[in-house]
Amino acid sequence: INAEYGYPMIATTSFGAFQLHGLGPVYGSDKGKVVFYLQTSSGAGTHGRGAGQVRTQRSLNLKQWHHIVVRKELTELSISVDGLESTVLLPSHITPGQFEMKPTGDILVKNGCGDSLLCGEVRDFTIEYDARNVVRSEDY
């Protein structure tokens, strides 16, 4: 992502399955960091988020390209920006079966200027998943 101003909504889904966005000024010391969370199909976890949310360790620099990777494993959720990773683990009272993301619907990638507060661009947005040992990749 390369943002010129604001704390952008980077990607979401039409069914609210996940959100990837920057944090604005109301988040104090977390301002400018990127947060990711997903909604579980079971509704397990705080606000139905399973492992909760994961935030980057440092804030984004505006007007600079950043490489963001989000990874969901069986019992953890990770995000990295420019190679610096943060991970949250699934709480012990939630089973891996309850930590399945709800259906996505359409993937909405924000790009350009407008109501998302993003003035910049998202490039090379890819979702990769492993279904029955067949790895697939979808570009948006």
Side-chain angles (χ1 to χ4, degrees):
I1 181 171
N2 178 14
E4 293 184 24
Y5 71 84
Y7 302 93
M9 172 65 71
I10 300 166
T12 188
T13 70
S14 59
F15 292 167
F18 69 79
Q19 285 196 358
L20 176 64
H21 64 86
L23 298 174
V26 299
Y27 290 92
S29 63
D30 283 340
K31 173 185 166 185
K33 293 182 178 180
V34 177
V35 64
F36 177 82
Y37 58 87
L38 60 86
Q39 296 297 124
T40 60
S41 56
S42 67
T46 305
H47 305 294
R49 294 181 181 168
Q53 61 184 6
V54 62
R55 293 182 183 187
T56 58
Q57 295 181 38
R58 63 177 177 216
S59 298
L60 297 180
N61 297 321
L62 297 179
K63 297 185 180 183
Q64 178 180 332
W65 279 103
H66 294 280
H67 182 244
I68 300 171
V69 175
V70 175
R71 187 173 39 88
K72 183 212 176 278
E73 299 289 340
L74 192 61
T75 60
E76 66 184 45
L77 191 59
S78 300
I79 188 169
S80 69
V81 171
D82 302 328
L84 186 60
E85 187 173 82
S86 300
T87 300
V88 293
L89 300 176
L90 192 62
S92 60
H93 66 278
I94 299 176
T95 67
Q98 293 174 304
F99 189 44
E100 291 183 13
M101 187 170 70
K102 72 186 226 178
T104 60
D106 294 329
I107 306 292
L108 309 170
V109 178
K110 303 294 185 167
N111 217 9
C113 295
D115 60 356
S116 69
L117 298 179
L118 169 63
C119 187
E121 55 187 311
V122 175
R123 181 174 66 194
D124 300 328
F125 185 88
T126 303
I127 295 178
E128 297 180 355
Y129 54 95
D130 182 349
R132 298 184 186 171
N133 299 320
V134 177
V135 176
R136 293 185 57 189
S137 176
E138 296 180 14
D139 290 317
Y140 293 88

